[in-house]
Amino acid sequence: MSIEYDYIRDPQEIYRESFAQIEAAADFGKMPADVADVAVRIIHACGMPEVIDDLAWTDDFAAKGRAALKAGAPIIVDCRMARDGIIQNRLPANNQILCPLIDERVPEIAKEIGNTRSAAAVELWKEHLEGAVVVIGNAPTALFRLLEVLHDGAPKPAAILGFPVGFVGAAESKDALIAANIDIPYMTLRGRRGGSAIASAALNAVAKDNK
Amino acid sequence: MSIEYDYIRDPQEIYRESFAQIEAAADFGKMPADVADVAVRIIHACGMPEVIDDLAWTDDFAAKGRAALKAGAPIIVDCRMARDGIIQNRLPANNQILCPLIDERVPEIAKEIGNTRSAAAVELWKEHLEGAVVVIGNAPTALFRLLEVLHDGAPKPAAILGFPVGFVGAAESKDALIAANIDIPYMTLRGRRGGSAIASAALNAVAKDNK
């Protein structure tokens, strides 16, 4: 039996209607316009307007992240799904996306430092960190380890998009980012929620020049 | 200034602690054990125990999905992020993961049928659908279109893991799956929430033999 469902099939109309619903469901009044653009894309990615209440950011993170990307900065991601959520043809300078987690040296480093593979990969981030845009969409241990190496004097990234997810360490690692006092622009989502879709949506919004 | 944060660094301990927290936070009593295994992994992927209240499923979907994978069935995904969340070395028969969305014919088909690229890709799913495991982690239009082609007599997949996300059509497409009466095992998450991380986590749980 043939059935035709009633749904919007035009991608432009889906896009317009989605963003109209998001604008109606969340209050972006407390945010600078370029931060609000990122928040909108985050909400779009997860379907949850209420995450706006848990977002934390420095007012300069979108501008600093965008400027870094325009200048050709690499993007460092903590996991493959975050990498694959990044819309490459929207990047302003054909920016490299580095995912050191998949480097074959990582398991050995993890044993050496007594930490997860995600945290071990941060050792391989170091040489690329200077001025980079960091995107964390999975591992709390990657964010904790990043903060540790930064406190130890590792080169500073231009911005940190910190969205680890889960039950063990995610909320704590993001609270640590907010409290770190390391003078690096960031956006994060307090609590257990996060993930690659949110992280890559945030990066895509930062990469897009709305002006 | 060197700072060492207090966090769990042992991946096995993170794993144990995560699942202990999930077991404590959600009531799996209404589910068959193999469905509960999938629900646990979904909650683990998104950090939200409360999604258990919005899950809907047929009691046979995990068993049917697993049997299909063991028999070598392909996995069809609606987007790259869902594909990349699948742990390939956990698949029981080195199963193919097909992502027709990236086929170069898709934009043309989308114009022809007047639908999104995600829905257009479903035309290319058809030849692989028989007995396949379908994983939808992004597009409501893909799920709507799948239901349409199934009502029109397309070959039946072994199971549908239906987790589109967002504001336009996501909740409606999942309600349509629940109401479709097409005798195909499924799991879905009612409402706007969903996404690739949840979809691929569900597939990974189905693929894992706990017995």
Side-chain angles (χ1 to χ4, degrees), chain B residues 121-160:
Chain B
V122 173
E123 303 304 313
L124 303 178
W125 296 11
K126 287 179 181 171
E127 63 186 295
H128 309 287
L129 269 179
E130 179 85 51
V133 177
V134 171
V135 179
I136 298 178
N138 181 39
T141 55
L143 180 51
F144 271 129
R145 187 68 193 137
L146 172 64
L147 295 175
E148 290 175 346
V149 303
L150 290 170
H151 284 301
D152 278 343
K156 286 188 179 185
I160 298 171

Side-chain angles (χ1 to χ4, degrees), chain B residues 84-100:
Chain B
D84 295 318
I86 294 172
I87 304 172
Q88 299 205 33
N89 63 18
R90 193 177 289 171
L91 300 177
N94 197 22
N95 306 71
Q96 268 198 295
I97 306 175
L98 306 171
C99 183

Side-chain angles (χ1 to χ4, degrees), chain A residues 6-207:
Chain A
D6 179 22
Y7 61 100
I8 305 177
R9 292 166 170 76
D10 172 18
Q12 298 306 319
E13 178 60 20
I14 293 170
Y15 187 93
R16 274 192 300 271
E17 174 63 19
S18 293
F19 290 100
Q21 287 197 30
I22 294 167
E23 296 286 348
D27 176 9
F28 299 92
K30 292 183 206 158
M31 297 175 164
D34 60 352
V35 174
D37 289 339
V38 182
V40 166
R41 302 302 307 213
I42 286 173
I43 293 170
H44 182 250
C46 67
M48 296 183 285
E50 65 272 23
V51 297
I52 195 169
D53 298 327
D54 292 329
L55 287 172
W57 65 89
T58 61
D59 281 350
D60 60 346
F61 96 93
K64 290 286 174 64
R66 187 169 298 151
L69 293 176
K70 279 187 178 172
I75 299 161
I76 304 176
V77 300
D78 74 324
C79 63
R80 287 196 311 161
M81 285 185 82
R83 180 189 67 189
D84 294 317
I86 294 172
I87 304 172
Q88 299 206 34
N89 64 17
R90 192 176 290 170
L91 300 176
N94 196 22
N95 307 72
Q96 268 198 295
I97 306 174
L98 307 170
C99 183
L101 178 65
I102 62 180
D103 189 290
E104 62 186 12
R105 293 168 290 178
V106 164
E108 189 59 38
I109 298 170
K111 276 187 209 165
E112 279 169 26
I113 68 170
N115 208 321
T116 65
R117 287 188 299 123
S118 293
V122 174
E123 304 304 313
L124 304 178
W125 297 11
K126 287 179 182 171
E127 63 185 295
H128 308 287
L129 268 179
E130 179 85 50
V133 177
V134 171
V135 179
I136 298 179
N138 181 38
T141 54
L143 180 51
F144 270 129
R145 187 67 193 139
L146 173 63
L147 295 175
E148 288 175 347
V149 304
L150 289 170
H151 285 301
D152 278 342
K156 285 188 178 184
I160 298 171
L161 308 185
F163 299 98
V165 60
F167 292 83
V168 177
E172 295 83 353
S173 69
K174 291 179 283 191
D175 287 345
L177 170 63
I178 294 167
N181 197 22
I182 46 179
D183 195 28
I184 298 172
Y186 69 85
M187 189 175 221
T188 189
L189 179 66
R190 286 185 292 255
R192 291 191 297 228
R193 293 184 292 199
S196 303
I198 286 174
S200 53
L203 186 283
N204 290 332
V206 166

Side-chain angles (χ1 to χ4, degrees), chain B:
Chain B
M1 181 182 62
S2 194
I3 291 184
E4 189 166 306
Y5 290 97
D6 179 22
Y7 61 100
I8 305 177
R9 292 164 169 76
D10 172 17
Q12 297 306 318
E13 178 60 21
I14 292 170
Y15 186 93
R16 274 192 300 272
E17 175 63 20
S18 292
F19 290 100
Q21 287 197 31
I22 293 167
E23 295 287 347
D27 176 9
F28 300 91
K30 292 182 207 158
M31 296 176 163
D34 59 353
V35 174
D37 289 338
V38 182
V40 166
R41 301 304 304 215
I42 286 172
I43 293 170
H44 181 250
C46 67
M48 296 183 284
E50 65 272 23
V51 296
I52 194 168
D53 298 327
D54 292 328
L55 287 171
W57 65 89
T58 61
D59 281 351
D60 59 346
F61 96 92
K64 291 284 173 64
R66 187 169 297 151
L69 293 176
K70 279 188 178 171
I75 299 161
I76 304 176
V77 300
D78 74 324
C79 63
R80 287 195 313 161
M81 285 186 80
R83 180 189 66 188
D84 295 318
I86 294 172
I87 304 172
Q88 299 205 33
N89 63 18
R90 193 177 289 171
L91 300 177
N94 197 22
N95 306 71
Q96 268 198 295
I97 306 175
L98 306 171
C99 183
L101 178 65
I102 61 179
D103 189 290
E104 61 185 16
R105 292 168 289 176
V106 165
E108 190 59 38
I109 298 171
K111 276 186 210 164
E112 280 170 26
I113 69 171
N115 209 320
T116 65
R117 287 188 299 123
S118 293
V122 173
E123 303 304 313
L124 303 178
W125 296 11
K126 287 179 181 171
E127 63 186 295
H128 309 287
L129 269 179
E130 179 85 51
V133 177
V134 171
V135 179
I136 298 178
N138 181 39
T141 55
L143 180 51
F144 271 129
R145 187 68 193 137
L146 172 64
L147 295 175
E148 290 175 346
V149 303
L150 290 170
H151 284 301
D152 278 343
K156 286 188 179 185
I160 298 171
L161 308 185
F163 299 98
V165 61
F167 292 83
V168 177
E172 295 83 353
S173 69
K174 292 179 281 190
D175 287 345
L177 170 63
I178 294 168
N181 197 22
I182 46 179
D183 195 28
I184 298 172
Y186 70 84
M187 189 174 220
T188 190
L189 179 65
R190 285 185 293 252
R192 293 192 297 229
R193 293 183 293 198
S196 303
I198 285 174
S200 54
L203 186 283
N204 290 332
V206 167
K208 188 177 179 183
D209 196 340
N210 289 304
K211 293 178 193 79

